Amino acid sequence: MSDPLPESSAPYESRRSSASSAGLAFLRSWLREPRRVGALAPSSRALARLICSEIDPAQTPVLELGPGTGVFTEALLARGLAPSQLILVESCERFAGRLRRCHPQMRVLQIDAARLAGHPALAGVRAGAAVSGLPLRAMQTAAVESIVAATFGCMTAQASLYQFTYGLRCPVPKTILRRHGLSARAIGRVWGNLPPATVYRIGPNRSVAS
Ligand SMILES: C[S@@+](CC[C@H](N)C(=O)[O-])C[C@H]1O[C@@H](n2cnc3c(N)ncnc32)[C@H](O)[C@@H]1O
């Protein structure tokens, strides 16, 4: 199982025990809802670093969809983002509770990301980026459409959504991208992740190709 923590100055033993407790939480959730969790192991530190690599504090607030054990959340903190500037959307009660305990300053919304549109916690929010660990390939097209619409609806005009996939193409169908004036571009692949994963930057047509 991959080590779910980013590089950190925390003592080795404490990092190991936090990593194994995250791994255990992940396995328990997977046993309950394999389709919703969408992976057998938490994302690796290398994948977390890649998916957060283009995000910096100037883009806050930042939205994170499907944070699970919080591997990407930790990588965002490691890039200097303030905890109060992160909004986490996680449908699983176990993961949401764990995230609230680990990061009391963050806004953790325990809801289905497909029902994000119009949520009061997002009123007036203009996020500068979004990161997603959602298993989009396992979702209905209508749910993916709602997630894309709600995410881009609460971000600035230039903002991008960073999404990883174990598949061979972007998990947001082209029809949805076109309808929302978006393009997707692969920014890298992590062979050492279990399984190997590709990260896509999805954003307004004019900004993604840069
Ligand atoms: C691949 S896993 C987590 C990935 C995360 N990077 C990690 O390593 O822990 C996907 C996460 O998305 C959450 N999720 C799945 N469907 C969701 C939905 N419709 N709304 C919000 N969260 C969802 C799952 O509960 C799970 O935490």
Side-chain angles (χ1 to χ4, degrees):
M1 187 169 287
S2 322
D3 180 350
L5 285 177
E7 280 171 344
S8 135
S9 55
Y12 178 70
E13 279 310 321
S14 111
R15 269 192 286 145
R16 264 184 71 90
S17 78
S18 174
S20 54
S21 105
L24 213 60
F26 202 93
L27 190 60
R28 280 203 197 106
S29 299
W30 180 82
L31 287 169
R32 280 178 151 202
E33 291 186 283
R35 265 182 81 78
R36 187 168 280 265
V37 172
L40 252 172
S43 307
S44 64
R45 290 188 291 168
L47 177 57
R49 281 196 294 272
L50 174 63
I51 202 166
C52 300
S53 61
E54 297 185 350
I55 301 177
D56 63 39
Q59 288 153 280
T60 53
V62 167
L63 201 61
E64 186 181 349
L65 309 175
T69 55
V71 197
F72 299 166
T73 319
E74 296 284 352
L76 289 169
L77 294 177
R79 292 191 59 79
L81 276 67
S84 60
Q85 293 298 312
L86 299 185
I87 304 167
L88 314 184
V89 179
E90 172 55 61
S91 60
C92 167
E93 189 180 354
R94 185 188 295 270
F95 283 140
R98 196 171 183 279
L99 290 161
R100 284 195 185 105
R101 284 192 298 282
C102 294
H103 305 290
Q105 290 169 282
M106 291 179 195
R107 279 169 278 180
V108 180
L109 313 182
Q110 196 216 315
I111 53 164
D112 180 344
R115 296 172 183 271
L116 198 56
H119 193 283
L122 294 182
V125 167
R126 277 288 161 260
V131 175
S132 168
L134 292 173
L136 295 184
R137 290 194 311 152
M139 292 182 180
Q140 306 273 352
T141 309
V144 177
E145 170 98 51
S146 306
I147 290 166
V148 168
T151 303
F152 282 92
C154 71
M155 295 206 294
T156 62
Q158 314 74 30
S160 296
L161 161 67
Y162 295 87
Q163 171 75 50
F164 82 84
T165 180
Y166 303 128
L168 296 175
R169 58 179 69 90
C170 177
V172 177
K174 280 191 178 143
T175 47
I176 297 181
L177 292 174
R178 258 187 245 118
R179 227 181 341 265
H180 292 272
L182 302 169
S183 307
R185 187 184 174 88
I187 62 164
R189 188 167 175 78
V190 181
W191 291 101
N193 194 72
L194 187 67
T198 304
V199 173
Y200 283 87
R201 182 206 303 132
I202 300 165
N205 286 329
R206 60 188 178 284
S207 69
V208 165
S210 62

